[in-house]
């Protein structure tokens, strides 16, 4: 088990505030998120991880709740803004006898070279990152051409009544938990230059499962010899 801590989260007030929230929540996180998973995200983690292959990056790995669902043989790296969350992820990886490289870092400024990974996974993640569009741009940057992005999250509902309720709840949720209810990840994915291959909504549209690929770069023709 390897935990690297030299990557420091971007020094922004909101990022540090979110980090402190998850430092406090780390011990109770599994219990709290388990309730939401039973109500909204049943089978979602399995879906997000089952197609992962090669070198895999999980952004905001948290306490490692996805670890049991990755196929055998992947090379897994996990990054999270919270050291306390990573401690729980390390314990879970040890219990599962998995070798995972765990790194403290900021999803908005990933400390990896371009085209480092075959698969990027982010579950219940973009809702709590201050600049979600920047995080998606970074996920696209570190993907190799032909690589895939797998996202699962709660998002703005297309249902106007539901979205009106989300709009009312959004300010206190952001203030208290750093949790945004009105995000639209599909727009950020397209803006990052990725091609959406699967988009599925459920639970009156507030749950989004999205898969996208980074297109292969075309090679210039050499012309006649």
């Amino acid at each position: 088990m390897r935990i690297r801590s030299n990557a420091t989260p971007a020094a922004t007030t909101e990022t540090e505030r979110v980090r402190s929230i998850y430092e406090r929540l780390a011990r109770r996180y599994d219990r709290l998120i388990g309730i939401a998973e039973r109500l909204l995200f049943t089978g979602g983690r399995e879906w997000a991880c089952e197609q992962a292959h090669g070198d895999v990056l999980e952004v905001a790995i948290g306490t490692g709740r996805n670890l049991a669902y990755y196929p055998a043989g992947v090379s897994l790296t996990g990054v999270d803004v919270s050291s306390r969350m990573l401690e729980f992820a390390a314990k879970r990886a040890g219990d599962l006898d998995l070798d995972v490289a765990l790194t403290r870092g900021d999803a908005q400024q990933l400390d990896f070279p371009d085209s480092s990974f075959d698969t990027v996974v982010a579950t219940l993640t973009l809702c709590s990152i201050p600049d979600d569009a920047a995080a998606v741009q970074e996920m696209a940057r570190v993907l190799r051409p032909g690589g895939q992005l797998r996202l699962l999250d709660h998002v703005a509902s297309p249902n106007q009544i539901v979205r009106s309720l989300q709009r009312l709840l959004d300010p206190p949720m952001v203030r208290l938990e750093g949790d945004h209810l009105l995000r639209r990840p599909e727009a950020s994915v397209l803006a990052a230059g990725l091609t959406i291959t699967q988009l599925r909504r459920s639970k009156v549209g507030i749950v989004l499962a999205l898969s996208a690929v980074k297109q292969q770069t075309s090679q210039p023709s050499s012309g006649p010899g």
Side-chain angles (χ1 to χ4, degrees):
M1 180 58 49
R2 309 183 299 282
I3 299 182
R4 185 161 59 90
S5 300
N6 59 322
T8 303
T12 65
T13 301
E14 185 60 14
T15 298
E16 286 302 309
R17 188 180 77 87
V18 170
R19 183 192 64 79
S20 68
I21 288 171
Y22 282 94
E23 294 280 89
R24 294 195 305 269
L25 282 178
R27 185 173 296 279
R28 297 180 290 126
Y29 180 80
D30 282 352
R31 183 171 70 253
L32 295 173
I33 200 65
I35 298 170
E37 288 178 17
R38 288 192 296 272
L39 292 174
L40 297 174
F41 302 107
T42 301
R45 293 187 183 276
E46 296 90 328
W47 173 87
C49 300
E50 65 188 3
Q51 298 298 320
H53 69 280
D55 295 317
V56 180
L57 173 66
E58 183 172 339
V59 176
I61 194 170
T63 61
R65 291 181 68 83
N66 288 335
L67 289 176
Y69 304 119
Y70 285 104
V74 303
S75 177
L76 183 59
T77 298
V79 63
D80 200 276
V81 74
S82 165
S83 297
R84 288 288 289 146
M85 298 286 274
L86 287 172
E87 290 173 8
F88 285 97
K91 182 181 185 306
R92 179 170 266 124
D95 292 342
L96 293 169
D97 196 25
L98 296 175
D99 184 25
V100 185
L102 297 174
T103 300
R104 181 177 176 238
D106 183 358
Q108 303 157 119
Q109 192 175 356
L110 292 171
D111 189 27
F112 304 104
D114 295 356
S115 304
S116 295
F117 298 97
D118 301 295
T119 310
V120 175
V121 174
T123 60
L124 313 187
T125 296
L126 293 176
C127 54
S128 59
I129 296 174
D131 189 342
D132 58 315
V136 172
Q137 288 282 351
E138 282 290 272
M139 294 177 201
R141 179 183 65 79
V142 302
L143 268 177
R144 293 177 179 136
Q148 64 171 333
L149 173 65
R150 309 277 285 186
L151 295 179
L152 174 74
D153 225 316
H154 66 79
V155 297
S157 173
N159 182 294
Q160 291 186 3
I161 296 174
V162 175
R163 194 166 63 252
S164 295
L165 179 59
Q166 289 178 301
R167 193 171 291 111
L168 287 174
L169 293 174
D170 188 63
M173 289 296 290
V174 172
R175 184 172 65 253
L176 295 174
E177 299 185 14
D179 190 16
H180 297 256
L181 305 183
L182 296 169
R183 293 277 167 88
R184 301 177 185 272
E186 63 273 27
S188 297
V189 169
L190 293 173
L194 302 180
T195 300
I196 295 174
T197 56
Q198 183 178 359
L199 192 157
R200 185 180 68 210
R201 292 182 180 271
S202 59
K203 306 296 182 182
V204 295
I206 68 172
V207 174
L208 178 74
L210 183 154
S211 180
V213 297
K214 185 174 184 177
Q215 294 299 318
Q216 299 276 1
T217 54
S218 58
Q219 297 296 323
S221 173
S222 59

